[in-house]
Amino acid sequence: AQSNRSRTEAIVDSVAQIYTPLVVLLAICMCSFPWIVSSEVGRYWFKNGLILLVVACPCALIISTPVTYVAGLAACAQKGIIVKGGQHLETLGKVQFIAFDKTGTLSEGIFQLLHSNEIG
């Protein structure tokens, strides 16, 4: 499953590798160092550090991409369209034109000679 990851998932994962430790480190600093000044300042910054963890939760960033893919694949499946995965779903989102095969030549694979003109 890891080899079939879309470009968006790879970008989110690479950003999360930097973003997650940075947020956690900042929250730890906010929760611990202000206690040196006083207990009142420590309580204030401890609360702000916890708020930072909730608001800037790295989990939401990492989980958001697979959840949107599942929602998109489920919506397609309900309409009778089967899409192989998130990478193909992203590709479908970039499609600008679609050609439909009225004759059935491409979809059914049955070739027929419908009309013939003789010259000469």
Side-chain angles (χ1 to χ4, degrees):
Q2 295 292 333
S3 64
N4 293 333
R5 299 179 71 90
S6 70
R7 186 167 183 260
T8 304
E9 285 178 299
I11 291 170
V12 167
D13 285 345
S14 65
V15 168
Q17 286 178 347
I18 297 167
Y19 177 77
T20 303
L22 188 66
V23 168
V24 171
L25 181 67
L26 185 61
I28 289 172
C29 290
M30 288 173 70
C31 291
S32 58
F33 292 130
W35 290 97
I36 297 170
V37 177
S38 72
S39 63
E40 184 177 323
V41 173
R43 274 189 231 106
Y44 174 78
W45 283 104
F46 187 80
K47 182 177 91 173
N48 285 334
L50 293 178
I51 290 170
L52 174 72
L53 279 178
V54 171
V55 171
C57 179
C59 301
L61 174 70
I62 296 167
I63 292 173
S64 64
T65 307
V67 169
T68 55
Y69 287 155
V70 169
L73 294 172
C76 286
Q78 286 177 345
K79 296 179 190 299
I81 303 167
I82 298 174
V83 180
K84 190 173 181 181
Q87 185 175 4
H88 300 290
L89 198 61
E90 276 189 28
T91 305
L92 282 174
K94 296 176 185 175
V95 170
Q96 294 180 356
F97 300 101
I98 297 176
F100 291 99
D101 180 22
K102 285 187 349 185
T103 62
T105 305
L106 298 174
S107 57
E108 295 177 14
I110 302 171
F111 300 101
Q112 296 176 353
L113 178 61
L114 300 177
H115 185 72
S116 174
N117 286 338
E118 202 173 303
I119 300 174

